[in-house]
Amino acid sequence: EKISQAAVITPPRWNRTSTYLWFIGDTSERKDPSKIELLVTSLNPPGISARFSNFNWAKLERVADHGAFDISIDGRMLAFAKKKTRKTDTLLVAQSDGRPVATTIRGKVSYIQWLPDGSLIYAAQDTQGFTLWQLRDATHSRLARRPGTLASARLSRSEERRVGKECRSRWSPYH
């Protein structure tokens, strides 16, 4: 399918296993009202489709853009966290064709990753430290608790741009 640059609302992101690329886009036709959807691209087989349509993606742009968010290795499950209160987040897990299951988590969910066995690992940060949890078959199991802050390995966008410019200038044929 062809998607125009104007239709892309959030920057594309890979899931943690690099099997799916996703972004929020406007898939409406020219004369139709806006239709905001989560668009998921797979490499094997190649293609792009709207998935997880049971969410209001217009309201979840910020989460999809840079929040804790992952699509399972097989592309059938989605997990993301959104802020509920000052001290809690809501962890949402959904199958591509089903209703999401919401769980209130004490602290901020700062990391989510699907594992090959279909379970989900997530980290919850609170004022005392962070806790790693595993979600398997609707059961949350505590894996580890540590004091301190869980630092993000992801570069900020300005840092990504700066590093990209440095690399391009270093490899420039005129350098």
Side-chain angles (χ1 to χ4, degrees):
E1 287 186 44
K2 288 188 173 184
I3 297 177
S4 70
Q5 181 73 19
V8 177
I9 296 172
T10 62
R13 287 176 60 186
W14 286 99
N15 69 338
R16 299 245 182 233
T17 57
S18 299
T19 52
Y20 291 93
L21 181 72
W22 79 82
F23 60 92
I24 293 181
D26 185 346
T27 60
S28 59
E29 300 295 322
R30 288 183 182 233
K31 296 179 182 176
D32 293 339
S34 183
K35 186 175 181 182
I36 308 300
E37 296 184 285
L38 179 70
L39 299 169
V40 180
T41 304
S42 65
L43 302 176
N44 192 11
I48 187 167
S49 62
R51 300 225 187 133
F52 306 101
S53 56
N54 45 348
F55 291 99
N56 181 346
W57 290 108
K59 290 184 177 181
L60 294 170
E61 284 179 28
R62 185 177 168 102
V63 171
D65 185 14
H66 58 271
F69 192 105
D70 200 19
I71 295 175
S72 65
I73 295 167
D74 63 7
R76 294 183 186 158
M77 300 287 288
L78 167 75
F80 66 91
K82 65 179 189 172
K83 187 175 183 172
K84 183 174 182 178
T85 69
R86 197 168 56 88
K87 294 184 178 183
T88 62
D89 275 1
T90 299
L91 176 67
L92 291 118
V93 177
Q95 292 184 354
S96 59
D97 59 352
R99 295 181 55 95
V101 175
T103 306
T104 299
I105 306 295
R106 191 182 93 207
K108 177 180 176 21
V109 176
S110 56
Y111 180 83
I112 293 175
Q113 181 176 350
W114 287 101
L115 299 179
D117 67 2
S119 66
L120 181 72
I121 297 287
Y122 65 94
Q125 179 78 50
D126 60 27
T127 58
Q128 306 299 311
F130 65 93
T131 306
L132 291 174
W133 295 87
Q134 183 173 25
L135 175 59
R136 181 185 311 219
D137 300 326
T139 301
H140 298 257
S141 302
R142 185 171 141 168
L143 300 176
R145 172 94 179 136
R146 299 285 182 259
T149 303
L150 183 64
S152 173
R154 190 171 173 205
L155 297 173
S156 69
R157 293 221 176 145
S158 60
E159 184 71 6
E160 285 175 354
R161 280 192 216 104
R162 184 188 64 76
V163 170
K165 285 180 183 178
E166 284 178 9
C167 290
R168 284 190 299 278
S169 68
R170 198 172 296 136
W171 294 101
S172 169
Y174 305 106
H175 190 257

